[in-house]
Each structure stands twice: as structure tokens, then as C-alpha cells.
């Protein structure tokens, strides 16, 4: 149980392109979804927290207009990197949490984004 | 001082060894303690999940929490090459929602 699917797993695109990453909880309802960024050999850096039906809460230093998050349903959240530039190249990982009393966050397999 | 401290390693052990991974923390509000395993280019996979102090065992894995010392450990018995990965500790306060991660320890188990 507690499967989180993240798609696509790999994206290579030109600078200036907008990229959408999807995160789905397949077998549970996710009241909260999280988006992380991970640089090589470093730990996870929380970018934003999103609750279904409400605006995402962004961590300090994360540009909300750059990283658009939509959590339209209890099983789907999307992260759109708008007008991506090479410095946005990174490993993006989502996680989902089922709410009070549920198991801890379960993670997707990540999306490796490379901006040329 | 970081909220969660974890030695990034790398740690290299021979197959069959007992591995000890540790984290310390500073926030006494943490109640939930997790260990995740992350293979290269994959998302973290939940290994162990404990609430408050005590031990928890699952197969070859044992998690220990000592809240008085603000210290948690993960032991891996009879380590296998397939255990080679980065191990992340994570912890959160009351609602199991706001998690803080350690830096991750990179483990290599050599055949």
C-alpha cells in the first residue's frame, strides 16, 4: 500500500520551457502533498506544502511564481516549473501524506529535470 | 546548529557486517522518527517508523530512539550489497506532517 506515482521520471528541455510534473497517490487519499528538491549528494530541501483545494505554502526563498503548485484533488498534485533555466536543473521529488493517524510521508520516485 | 545532524559518510562495510547509522537532533518536540532508504536516482522509501522512545525491529533492521539523549539509530544486521544506498533519518513533531531530514548517510556494502 501507500504508493505514490510521479511522472515524468526524466525531462530534458530547452531554456525557457515550462515543465509540469505530476504526483499521484494511487491507493490512498492525500490530504497533504509536499514538493522537494534534491541536489547531488545532498538531502531533501522542502519547497512547498500543498493541501487539497487550497493554495500551497512555500518555504522561504522559493519563488511561488516560478514553481506553480496545484493540488486539485486528494490524489493529484502538480508542480509546474515556469520558464525553466539551467539553474532549475535538479531532482524534484513529491511526497504524499494521508492525514492525522496515517503513516508518514510516502515518496514518489522523483523527476530528474535537465534544462539545456 | 542544524535541527537534525547526520554524518553523511560515506560508510563502507563488508557483506555480513552490522551497520550502525545515527542521527542527533535538537528539537525536543519531535515525537515521530523515521528512516528512509534512497537508492540512486530514486525517491526515498520508508524503512522504519517509530513513535516516541524505544526500539522497533523489522527483519534485519532495528530502529532505536532515545529521546532523553535526542539520539536515534538504525541497525542493519547481516548487511547485503543490496543495502547499498543513502539512508535518511527524518523526524516530526505532533502531527507527523512537518518533517525534518538529516543529510543522509551513503552506505556501501561490499561483497
Amino acid at each position: 500500500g501507500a504508493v505514490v506515482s510521479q511522472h515524468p521520471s526524466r525531462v530534458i528541455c530547452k531554456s525557457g520551457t515550462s515543465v509540469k510534473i505530476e504526483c499521484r497517490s494511487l491507493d490512498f487519499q492525500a490530504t497533504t502533498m509536499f514538493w522537494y528538491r534534491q541536489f547531488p549528494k545532498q538531502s531533501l530541501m522542502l519547497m512547498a506544502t500543498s493541501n487539497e483545494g487550497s493554495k500551497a505554502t512555500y518555504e522561504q526563498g522559493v519563488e511561488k511564481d516560478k514553481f506553480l503548485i496545484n493540488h486539485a484533488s486528494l490524489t493529484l498534485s502538480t508542480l509546474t516549473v515556469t520558464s525553466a533555466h539551467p539553474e532549475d536543473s535538479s531532482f524534484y521529488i513529491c511526497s504524499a501524506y494521508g492525514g492525522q493517524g496515517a503513516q508518514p510521508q510516502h515518496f514518489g520516485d522523483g523527476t530528474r529535470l535537465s534544462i539545456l | 546548529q542544524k535541527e537534525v545532524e547526520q554524518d553523511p559518510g560515506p560508510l563502507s562495510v563488508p557483506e555480513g557486517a552490522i551497520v550502525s547509522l545515527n542521527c542527533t537532533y535538537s528539537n525536543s518536540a519531535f515525537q515521530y522518527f523515521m528512516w528512509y532508504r534512497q537508492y540512486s536516482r530514486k525517491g526515498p522509501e520508508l524503512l522504519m517508523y517509530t513513535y516516541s522512545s524505544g526500539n522497533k525491529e523489522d527483519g534485519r533492521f532495528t530502529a532505536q530512539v532515545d529521546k532523553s539523549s535526542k539520539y536515534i539509530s538504525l541497525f542493519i544486521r547481516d548487511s547485503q550489497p543490496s543495502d547499498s544506498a543513502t539512508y535518511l533519518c527524518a523526524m516530526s513533531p505532533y502531527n507527523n506532517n512537518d518533517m525534518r531530514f538529516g543529510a543522509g548517510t551513503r552506505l556501501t556494502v561490499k561483497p
Side-chain angles (χ1 to χ4, degrees):
Chain A
V3 177
V4 176
S5 174
Q6 187 172 339
H7 177 80
S9 59
R10 184 84 165 95
V11 179
I12 302 173
C13 57
K14 295 180 179 179
S15 182
T17 306
S18 292
V19 178
K20 180 185 281 189
I21 303 169
E22 289 188 350
C23 181
R24 293 181 185 273
S25 57
L26 298 185
D27 55 356
F28 68 102
Q29 293 186 325
T31 56
T32 307
M33 286 186 169
F34 304 86
W35 288 95
Y36 295 85
R37 187 171 178 175
Q38 188 175 34
F39 293 102
K41 299 185 180 181
Q42 294 189 27
S43 190
L44 303 169
M45 182 188 78
L46 179 64
M47 298 174 65
T49 302
S50 73
N51 294 295
E52 184 263 342
S54 60
K55 289 184 178 180
T57 302
Y58 290 81
E59 295 298 303
Q60 191 173 7
V62 178
E63 299 176 58
K64 62 180 181 181
D65 295 329
K66 175 75 169 176
F67 299 100
L68 299 178
I69 292 172
N70 183 280
H71 192 164
S73 76
L74 284 171
T75 59
L76 174 64
S77 177
T78 60
L79 167 68
T80 301
V81 184
T82 62
S83 186
H85 292 285
E87 59 266 27
D88 299 323
S89 299
S90 190
F91 192 52
Y92 293 88
I93 309 176
C94 72
S95 73
Y97 171 64
Q100 187 67 29
Q103 289 288 304
Q105 296 176 34
H106 291 271
F107 289 83
D109 268 344
T111 297
R112 186 162 303 277
L113 176 62
S114 299
I115 308 298
L116 305 177
Chain B
Q1 182 188 10
K2 293 180 182 178
E3 270 190 300
V4 181
E5 297 275 3
Q6 182 178 10
D7 185 343
L11 179 63
S12 181
V13 301
E15 183 175 355
I18 296 175
V19 177
S20 173
L21 303 168
N22 312 292
C23 289
T24 59
Y25 62 95
S26 58
N27 189 345
S28 58
F30 289 141
Q31 298 281 346
Y32 299 87
F33 304 91
M34 283 69 68
W35 286 95
Y36 287 87
R37 176 175 63 195
Q38 186 177 23
Y39 291 112
S40 181
R41 304 191 178 198
K42 291 288 187 180
E45 169 195 9
L46 181 65
L47 271 182
M48 300 289 283
Y49 165 51
T50 55
Y51 171 73
S52 194
S53 285
N55 295 356
K56 186 174 184 178
E57 187 173 322
D58 184 1
R60 296 184 296 111
F61 299 90
T62 299
Q64 290 185 351
V65 175
D66 182 351
K67 290 188 67 180
S68 62
S69 301
K70 297 189 177 67
Y71 187 87
I72 69 170
S73 301
L74 177 71
F75 297 96
I76 307 174
R77 292 183 298 281
D78 187 25
S79 57
Q80 303 294 312
S82 58
D83 295 328
S84 298
T86 296
Y87 290 81
L88 296 154
C89 65
M91 45 201 79
S92 65
Y94 305 103
N95 63 4
N96 199 18
N97 189 8
D98 181 19
M99 286 172 54
R100 296 288 180 255
F101 288 88
T105 299
R106 182 181 295 262
L107 171 68
T108 300
V109 181
K110 296 185 175 180

